[in-house]
């Protein structure tokens, strides 16, 4: 079963931030209940960059950390982007967000290891002494450290009407998280420009 949250090809910390999203009918939280959170975590665990061989697949401890990490990442994202949106603000303070990301990154250290594939070739795998779910959440936190550290990729808030998502602006002129948001923003801008003109009356 796919996650209900949008997956936009962003770095995993940004994908986690975007487990809160909106459409015309309202705002949603893909981590709102354990079932939805497990689905999102399963999708993340299947990503090659986050595949970790842990001691078990038990995700009970990982789910609260996943939510805490999401809120911490969204707080720092709002800070670094100067996000003016009031919708779905993180309840976490800035200093608490830094402490949370650091603590979760250290929860389940992982390391690179060699393994022999079926054809005899040596392949790189990632191992952890923790459960694979905890290890994946920890890896996302570690990637969050890279995202927010000085010199990290340029993060932006999508300021299209009603959007609450973030994205990495690989191109300096990129303004929106998606083409749909870009279209909505242009329509809103056009409406505001022409609302008071004689042609609009």
């Amino acid at each position: 079963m796919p996650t209900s949250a949008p997956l936009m090809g962003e770095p995993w910390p940004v994908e986690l931030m975007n487990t809160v999203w909106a459409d015309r009918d309202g705002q949603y939280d893909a981590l709102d209940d354990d079932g939805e959170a497990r689905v999102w975590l399963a999708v993340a665990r299947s990503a090659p960059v986050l595949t970790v061989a842990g001691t078990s697949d038990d995700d009970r401890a990982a789910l609260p950390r996943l939510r805490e990490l999401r809120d911490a990442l969204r707080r720092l994202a709002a800070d670094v982007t100067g996000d003016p949106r009031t919708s779905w603000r993180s309840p976490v303070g800035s200093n608490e967000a830094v402490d949370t990301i650091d603590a979760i990154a250290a929860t389940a250290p992982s390391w690179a290891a060699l393994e022999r594939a079926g054809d005899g070739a040596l392949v790189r795998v990632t191992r952890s002494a923790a459960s694979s779910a905890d290890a994946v959440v920890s890896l996302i936190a570690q990637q969050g450290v890279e995202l927010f550290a000085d010199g990290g990729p340029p993060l932006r808030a999508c300021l299209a009407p009603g959007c609450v998502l973030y994205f990495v602006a690989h191109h300096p002129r990129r303004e929106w998280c998606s083409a749909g948001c870009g279209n909505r923003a242009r329509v809103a801008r056009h409406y505001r420009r022409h609302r008071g003109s004689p042609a609009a009356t």
Side-chain angles (χ1 to χ4, degrees):
M1 177 171 120
T3 176
S4 57
L7 292 173
M8 304 171 65
E10 297 291 340
W12 280 100
V14 180
E15 297 286 13
L16 180 55
M17 291 180 222
N18 291 343
T19 56
V20 171
W21 81 102
D23 64 18
R24 290 179 184 156
D25 298 322
Q27 292 184 0
Y28 307 94
D29 181 350
L31 308 183
D32 203 23
D33 66 63
D34 285 356
E36 284 272 336
R38 281 189 172 96
V39 169
W40 190 90
L41 187 55
V43 170
R45 283 163 70 176
S46 68
V49 71
L50 295 177
T51 301
V52 182
T55 55
S56 74
D57 288 333
D58 187 359
D59 61 13
R60 282 173 293 184
L63 297 182
R65 285 192 199 105
L66 187 67
R67 293 180 183 104
E68 290 171 21
L69 179 59
R70 191 268 310 275
D71 291 347
L73 291 168
R74 282 189 71 90
R75 163 51 61 204
L76 292 189
D79 291 349
V80 303
T81 63
D83 188 353
R85 302 173 298 185
T86 57
S87 191
W88 216 92
R89 284 191 185 247
S90 175
V92 177
S94 296
N95 291 336
E96 183 186 349
V98 170
D99 293 343
T100 296
I101 292 169
D102 290 349
I104 292 174
T107 299
S110 57
W111 60 91
L114 283 174
E115 199 172 85
R116 202 168 286 282
D119 63 359
L122 291 172
V123 294
R124 183 188 187 278
V125 295
T126 305
R127 297 201 179 282
S128 176
S131 74
S132 59
D134 280 329
V136 166
V137 175
S138 179
L139 273 178
I140 294 172
Q142 291 168 41
Q143 291 178 1
V145 170
E146 298 300 320
L147 180 69
F148 291 113
D150 190 35
L155 186 66
R156 291 200 180 152
C158 181
L159 301 181
C163 190
V164 294
L165 301 183
Y166 291 94
F167 64 94
V168 172
H170 294 293
H171 190 284
R173 293 180 61 191
R174 183 178 174 195
E175 294 183 66
W176 321 111
C177 68
S178 66
C181 272
N183 289 338
R184 268 198 315 281
R186 283 187 284 276
V187 167
R189 196 165 40 220
H190 176 81
Y191 176 75
R192 279 193 309 272
R193 237 187 341 252
H194 299 305
R195 183 170 47 184
S197 69
T201 58

